[in-house]
Amino acid sequence: MAMSYGYVYVAKVSMGANQSQLIKAINEAEAYKGPSLIIAYAPCINHGIDMGHSQREAKKAVEVGYWPLYRYNPNLAAENKNPFTLDSKAPSASFSDFIMGEVRYSSLKQQFPGVADELFARAEQEAADKVAYYQKLSDM
């Protein structure tokens, strides 16, 4: 939503997935003369994972397409360049395996199996659609 304004620097980052992309986003946001927004993936104890492996969990989120990495820099548009850069690769791991590795999703499946399967399929499709949309933005 912030990208639609055209004058807000926006980045989606994950330290566990790509530290150099994170540093680049922070540097660009700091240098940008206007509002900047950095959205970072941050696993928490309520995900039901071993918090000693939170960076690994963050990397998995990117690898399955749950958390695509990008940067939107309005300064590039002023230079007649595409302001949107998709920094993550195409999903390369199982979305379903990822979400079922977190208690917040596996407990939903235990309590409401039919509904959970429907919601998980919808979430996976929406994540794939988002990645495809970001790829289109990146190719412009």
Side-chain angles (χ1 to χ4, degrees):
M1 185 155 120
M3 288 188 292
S4 70
Y5 294 123
Y7 61 85
V8 179
Y9 179 92
V10 181
K12 198 166 173 184
V13 301
S14 170
M15 185 187 323
N18 189 332
Q19 291 180 0
S20 62
Q21 186 260 358
L22 168 68
I23 298 301
K24 189 170 195 170
I26 291 170
N27 286 335
E28 287 176 353
E30 184 179 29
Y32 182 67
K33 304 286 188 231
S36 297
L37 175 63
I38 296 178
I39 309 161
Y41 189 79
C44 74
I45 198 162
N46 288 331
H47 289 185
I49 62 167
D50 177 349
M51 290 307 291
H53 300 289
S54 63
Q55 296 302 307
R56 187 180 319 155
E57 188 72 6
K59 182 176 183 181
K60 285 183 199 176
V62 172
E63 290 173 343
V64 304
Y66 183 91
W67 192 262
L69 307 178
Y70 63 79
R71 291 170 291 120
Y72 178 83
N73 188 345
N75 287 340
L76 294 176
E79 299 170 13
N80 290 324
K81 296 179 183 173
N82 186 349
F84 185 85
T85 303
L86 180 61
D87 293 315
S88 48
K89 297 176 184 170
S92 61
S94 169
F95 188 93
S96 179
D97 289 349
F98 169 73
I99 63 172
M100 291 311 297
E102 294 188 358
V103 172
R104 59 190 176 147
Y105 295 112
S106 61
S107 64
L108 179 64
K109 177 137 173 109
Q110 286 176 347
Q111 291 179 339
F112 307 101
V115 174
D117 288 339
E118 184 180 322
L119 291 172
F120 296 165
R122 181 176 168 189
E124 185 169 4
Q125 184 59 55
E126 288 178 3
D129 291 347
K130 190 179 301 181
V131 169
Y133 174 71
Y134 289 159
Q135 187 60 56
K136 284 181 187 176
L137 285 178
S138 181
D139 292 342
M140 295 177 104

